[in-house]
Amino acid sequence: MGAPDAGVYVHLPFCPYICPYCDFAKWAWDEGRAAEYLIALRAELDAAPRVRARTLFFGGGTPTTYEPAAIGALVDEVRARFALPAGAEITAEANPDPSLAARLGALRAAGVNRLSIGVQSFEPGELRVLGRRHTPDDVRDAVRAARAAGFTNVSVDLIFGVPGQTEESRGASLAAAVALGVEHISCYGLTIEEGTPYATWFARDPAAFAGESREAAMYALAIERLRAAGFEHYEISNWARSGSRSQHNAIYWANDPYLGLGVGAASYLDGVRSSNTRDLGEYRRAALAGTPIPGERERLEGPAQLGEAIMLALRTAEGVDLVAFRERYGIDVNERYRDVVGDLVAAGVLRADAAWLRLTERGRFVANDVCGAFLVS
Ligand code: SF4
């Protein structure tokens, strides 16, 4: 069997500062540590299993804290080692700090052709609560600079459920994001992650945080406003202009292979889902020694594999293509999951016919529960 086609994810975990709600594998920028990390990353890349890259995604952390030349060198290495085709989608996550604009020309020249900017909100008070140091004007400057640098595919991330956020301020942020003229918008609900300063705050004062019903109202607002603005709601948390869906994330939702490189990065190859350790020292030592990176490994097979594939596909607007599913997994979903499908359809959260299974509009609000029902069956 030849090398599989796969999305390639590269984790660059350093940030100029640390946000109090964040649970990603990330560390405050330190020149020395950041340089050492690149050496370890290259060692892991050299020893990684062969894949034919379909897309490349730099996530973090804040990848753009590295100089564009460092990212360009990684692009070249991925191209050389994993045959990333010319024209493939290459995304970098970025923070709209004032220093970003000046880097974008070099980043584009380095081969990055899609920018995903962590905006989170356009309300200065909410940005302060989130611990973000950029301003709404920084965001506008960054998008202007991205256009000037030749980026034709720009995405922004927004967070809903920020303490103190109202429907009005949320609506204003959505309107400001639309007014930027970007191709793609992701909206995520704030989650309280154990061990973060937000978890301590939540334990002390849960009333400061939006409950489920307020979060649902804000999600509904995003659906309504972004649809009215002509965006396609193509995945639970993602909206795109026509032709601008994230090709890299589509690989995850299709349950197709991906290779993750870097501390905490996840892979799915040959039916095995794995994730690298989130311990930076442990990661570095193993990568430099050429020994397997410690972490978790699980072969997905049988009901776990099917449930996972259905759960991922249901996140998308297209849902589960039953014919393609039968061809790929040898399973008739309507038959195998007859009771689950029947219950969810009766509850009004799932639509089913002979060719497709899809979440209903209502189902999108309880997507985790609906998708989870296939995992335990
Ligand atoms: S910039 Fe992003 S990755 Fe870095 S600490 Fe903030 S939320 Fe986490």
Side-chain angles (χ1 to χ4, degrees):
M1 212 169 75
D5 289 338
V8 175
Y9 173 87
V10 175
H11 194 73
L12 296 174
F14 298 100
C15 296
Y17 55 85
I18 299 299
C19 308
Y21 58 91
C22 179
D23 182 42
F24 297 133
K26 82 299 168 184
W27 288 267
W29 176 263
D30 172 285
E31 196 84 36
R33 277 212 301 183
E36 284 168 10
Y37 180 77
L38 280 187
I39 298 170
L41 187 61
R42 289 214 173 88
E44 188 195 7
L45 197 149
D46 285 342
R50 287 273 170 195
V51 299
R52 276 192 314 268
R54 294 165 61 186
T55 55
L56 172 58
F57 193 105
F58 292 100
T62 304
T64 50
T65 43
Y66 277 100
E67 289 295 331
I71 294 181
L74 289 168
V75 170
D76 291 345
E77 282 172 49
V78 169
R79 262 195 215 296
R81 181 162 171 86
F82 302 123
L84 181 73
E89 180 186 275
I90 304 179
T91 305
E93 290 181 337
N95 261 344
D97 337 330
S99 66
L100 178 65
R103 295 174 170 229
L104 291 176
L107 197 66
R108 181 69 194 87
V112 175
N113 53 26
R114 182 171 183 269
L115 210 57
S116 173
I117 307 179
V119 173
Q120 317 315 354
S121 169
F122 283 88
E123 295 299 299
E126 289 172 19
L127 288 170
R128 261 194 307 278
V129 167
L130 289 168
R132 306 301 290 234
R133 299 193 189 155
H134 63 263
T135 66
D137 280 342
D138 291 335
V139 175
R140 293 183 189 100
D141 288 348
V143 172
R144 222 174 286 127
R147 295 305 191 205
F151 283 95
T152 55
N153 197 349
V154 177
S155 177
V156 297
D157 282 5
L158 297 176
I159 291 187
F160 59 91
V162 181
Q165 192 174 51
T166 62
E167 286 207 27
E168 199 188 343
S169 69
R170 169 83 173 138
S173 280
L174 288 164
V178 170
L180 287 175
V182 292
E183 287 71 31
H184 191 279
I185 298 177
S186 302
C187 295
Y188 300 104
L190 179 74
T191 48
I192 311 295
E193 304 289 354
E194 226 177 288
T196 62
Y198 258 47
T200 313
W201 181 10
F202 182 74
R204 213 177 49 234
D205 184 13
F209 291 79
E212 262 179 35
S213 66
R214 266 181 59 211
E215 278 213 5
M218 292 193 194
Y219 183 52
L221 194 68
I223 293 176
E224 177 201 315
R225 298 285 167 88
L226 296 178
R227 181 185 291 144
F231 281 84
E232 178 192 16
H233 188 187
Y234 74 101
E235 194 268 350
I236 288 169
S237 306
N238 288 283
W239 287 258
R241 294 277 180 214
S242 173
S244 299
R245 294 180 176 202
S246 161
Q247 293 170 29
H248 182 82
N249 288 339
I251 290 172
Y252 300 138
W253 301 320
N255 202 28
D256 284 344
Y258 50 89
L259 169 69
L261 300 166
V263 63
S267 300
Y268 180 54
L269 293 170
D270 295 331
V272 175
R273 188 168 53 185
S274 60
S275 56
N276 286 347
T277 175
R278 288 174 61 125
D279 180 321
L280 188 56
E282 192 177 40
Y283 169 78
R284 262 194 60 225
R285 282 190 295 279
L288 293 176
T291 54
I293 311 286
E296 290 175 6
R297 235 179 111 77
E298 177 194 12
R299 174 166 291 285
L300 279 184
E301 49 197 358
Q305 186 199 33
L306 296 174
E308 184 84 8
I310 295 173
M311 178 190 83
L312 290 166
L314 277 180
R315 296 188 61 90
T316 64
E318 284 70 30
V320 182
D321 176 338
L322 298 175
V323 176
F325 202 91
R326 194 178 314 117
E327 275 166 18
R328 181 165 169 188
Y329 301 100
I331 292 287
D332 182 325
V333 175
N334 277 337
E335 228 173 83
R336 165 72 177 76
Y337 295 93
R338 185 185 304 275
D339 293 346
V340 182
V341 171
D343 289 349
L344 295 171
V345 169
V349 292
L350 193 70
R351 240 172 327 137
D353 62 27
W356 294 95
L357 273 192
R358 288 189 183 115
L359 293 180
T360 61
E361 187 84 10
R362 194 144 75 78
R364 287 181 160 172
F365 287 80
V366 287
N368 287 345
D369 295 338
V370 179
C371 296
F374 289 91
L375 281 182
V376 292
S377 300

